[in-house]
Amino acid sequence: MKTFQDEMKCRDFMSKSAKDMQSEEEKREEALAQLTEEQLAGMKLRQEIKDTLPGKNGNFVRGYIGDPDEIKRGGDREYWVYKRPISKFSGDSPPDKEITVIFRRYFVEKVDYKKP
C-alpha cells in the first residue's frame, strides 16, 4: 500500500494479480461450477466427437465444437487443445478435462482426450 497512493488502484491491481496466479485446475473448476444443468445435458458425447472428426478439415471442426483454447504446432502436425468443457463420456458423467484434435496436412488425424 505504501507504493500505491490510491487505495482503489491497489485493490484493482491485487485482484487482477490473484486471477493471474490461479492455476489451470482452479480456472477449470471455476468454469465447471458456472455450468448449468442444460449446458451439461447439451454437451457432445466423447465417442461422437471421436467418430465424426477424423478426416475433416479445420473449418468443420470450428463449426462442430468451436474455436480451440490453444493451438500448438510440431513437425507436420497441428494440435488444437480444448480446455473448456465440451464433451463427456455419457449422459451423467462429468465433462472431460481436455480434448486435443490432432491435424496432419490440414485434416484431422486423431482426437485425444483426458478423462475427468
Side-chain angles (χ1 to χ4, degrees):
M1 284 280 220
K2 292 179 182 178
T3 59
F4 286 72
Q5 296 299 323
D6 189 3
E7 190 172 326
M8 188 69 132
K9 286 182 183 177
C10 182
R11 287 188 183 161
D12 185 43
F13 177 75
M14 292 304 290
S15 68
K16 287 180 184 174
S17 297
K19 286 182 182 179
D20 292 342
M21 290 173 39
Q22 280 184 332
S23 70
E24 289 294 324
E25 189 64 32
E26 290 172 339
K27 289 178 184 177
R28 185 180 186 292
E29 293 297 325
E30 194 174 294
L32 284 177
Q34 293 176 356
L35 290 176
T36 64
E37 295 289 327
E38 293 171 355
Q39 289 172 324
L40 283 171
M43 282 187 183
K44 295 186 183 332
L45 297 179
R46 182 190 310 152
Q47 193 61 43
E48 183 181 317
I49 290 174
K50 289 180 73 175
D51 290 343
T52 305
L53 293 185
K56 304 294 192 222
N57 64 14
N59 289 335
F60 181 86
V61 174
R62 275 199 169 95
Y64 192 69
I65 57 177
D67 290 326
D69 297 321
E70 185 178 344
I71 297 177
K72 298 178 182 178
R73 290 178 177 82
D76 65 342
R77 289 186 172 79
E78 189 171 282
Y79 304 87
W80 288 12
V81 181
Y82 293 86
K83 295 184 179 183
R84 65 182 180 273
I86 60 169
S87 68
K88 57 186 177 177
F89 175 71
S90 65
D92 58 345
S93 65
D96 294 327
K97 277 189 174 185
E98 184 177 292
I99 295 287
T100 304
V101 181
I102 303 169
F103 288 87
R104 184 172 186 202
R105 297 187 185 146
Y106 307 106
F107 294 100
V108 177
E109 177 181 43
K110 184 178 175 184
V111 178
D112 284 339
Y113 60 91
K114 290 185 182 174
K115 295 180 182 180

